[in-house]
Amino acid sequence: MRKHLKAQRAALDDAGKAERDRRIGAQVLAWWRRTRPPLLAVYWPLSGEADLSGTYRALVQEGAALALPVVLERHAPLAFAAWTPGEAMVSDPMGVAVPATLRMVERPPALLVPCLGFNEHGYRLGYGGGFYDRTLAGGVRPATLGIAYACQAAAFDADAHDVPLDLIVTEETDVE
C-alpha cells in the first residue's frame, strides 16, 4: 500500500501539485488564525509531500512560532527545534533537513503531520518508522493536523499503537 500511495503522489503534475499545496496551505493558515497555538510544529517536505514553505512564511509574518521535528534516537519520540523559514539548514543522519543550529523546545501544542496515506477514521499511514505515533502516545496530546493530498485516502485498519489525528487537511478540505 505504501508503494502504491507513493506512486500516486509522485504522479501529481508540477502545476497541479503547486495549486494543491496552495489550497492545503490556505486551510492550515485558516486553522492557525482560528486556534493560534503558541508553537506549531511543521515539517520539511520529503518525497513529494505537500510543500507548505509559502504557508510557513505567512504564518511567521502573522506571528506564529514554528518548530521542526528532529530525530535524536531511532526508536524514540521526535524532538523539536525552533525554526524560522530562511535560516541555515543541514541534513541529519536520516537525510532530513533540520536547522543548522538546534534550539530545542518542548513538544509543541500543535503539529502538522505529513501523511503517506490516511483513512476515514483519521488514522495516518506514514513511512513505517513510528516516530509520530511514539510522539503522540505520551503526555498531553497536541492538536494534530494530518497533511495529505486527497488521492492519498486509503482503506486500511489501524494498528493497536496507531493514534488518530484530529483533522486531515487536503486540497479538498474546508476547515473554516
Side-chain angles (χ1 to χ4, degrees), residues 103-148:
R103 299 175 317 279
M104 303 310 290
V105 296
E106 294 295 320
R107 183 177 63 180
L111 281 70
L112 299 187
V113 182
C115 302
L116 180 55
F118 64 94
N119 70 16
E120 63 184 2
H121 303 291
Y123 287 95
R124 124 188 220 279
L125 187 65
Y127 297 104
F131 291 106
Y132 280 99
D133 288 323
R134 283 190 294 277
T135 301
L136 298 176
V140 176
R141 192 170 179 303
T144 53
L145 275 72
I147 306 296

Side-chain angles (χ1 to χ4, degrees), residues 44 46 69 71 90-98:
W44 194 266
L46 302 172
V71 175
V90 296
S91 290
D92 72 6
M94 297 181 75
V96 177
V98 296

Side-chain angles (χ1 to χ4, degrees), residues 39-175:
L39 180 62
L40 174 63
V42 297
Y43 65 88
W44 194 266
L46 302 172
S47 306
E49 292 171 343
D51 181 352
L52 303 180
S53 55
T55 301
Y56 300 161
R57 287 189 298 277
L59 284 163
V60 168
Q61 288 173 349
E62 292 196 25
L66 304 180
L68 284 173
V70 177
V71 175
L72 297 178
E73 295 179 49
R74 195 172 234 354
H75 297 289
L78 292 166
F80 295 90
W83 175 70
T84 302
E87 78 176 83
M89 304 288 282
V90 296
S91 290
D92 72 6
M94 297 181 75
V96 177
V98 296
T101 302
L102 293 179
R103 299 175 317 279
M104 303 310 290
V105 296
E106 294 295 320
R107 183 177 63 180
L111 281 70
L112 299 187
V113 182
C115 302
L116 180 55
F118 64 94
N119 70 16
E120 63 184 2
H121 303 291
Y123 287 95
R124 124 188 220 279
L125 187 65
Y127 297 104
F131 291 106
Y132 280 99
D133 288 323
R134 283 190 294 277
T135 301
L136 298 176
V140 176
R141 192 170 179 303
T144 53
L145 275 72
I147 306 296
Y149 298 110
C151 68
Q152 295 174 272
F156 61 90
D157 293 326
D159 290 329
H161 65 272
D162 289 339
V163 178
L165 303 178
D166 297 323
L167 178 66
I168 304 292
V169 178
T170 74
E171 72 277 17
E172 297 177 2
T173 305
D174 184 3
V175 301

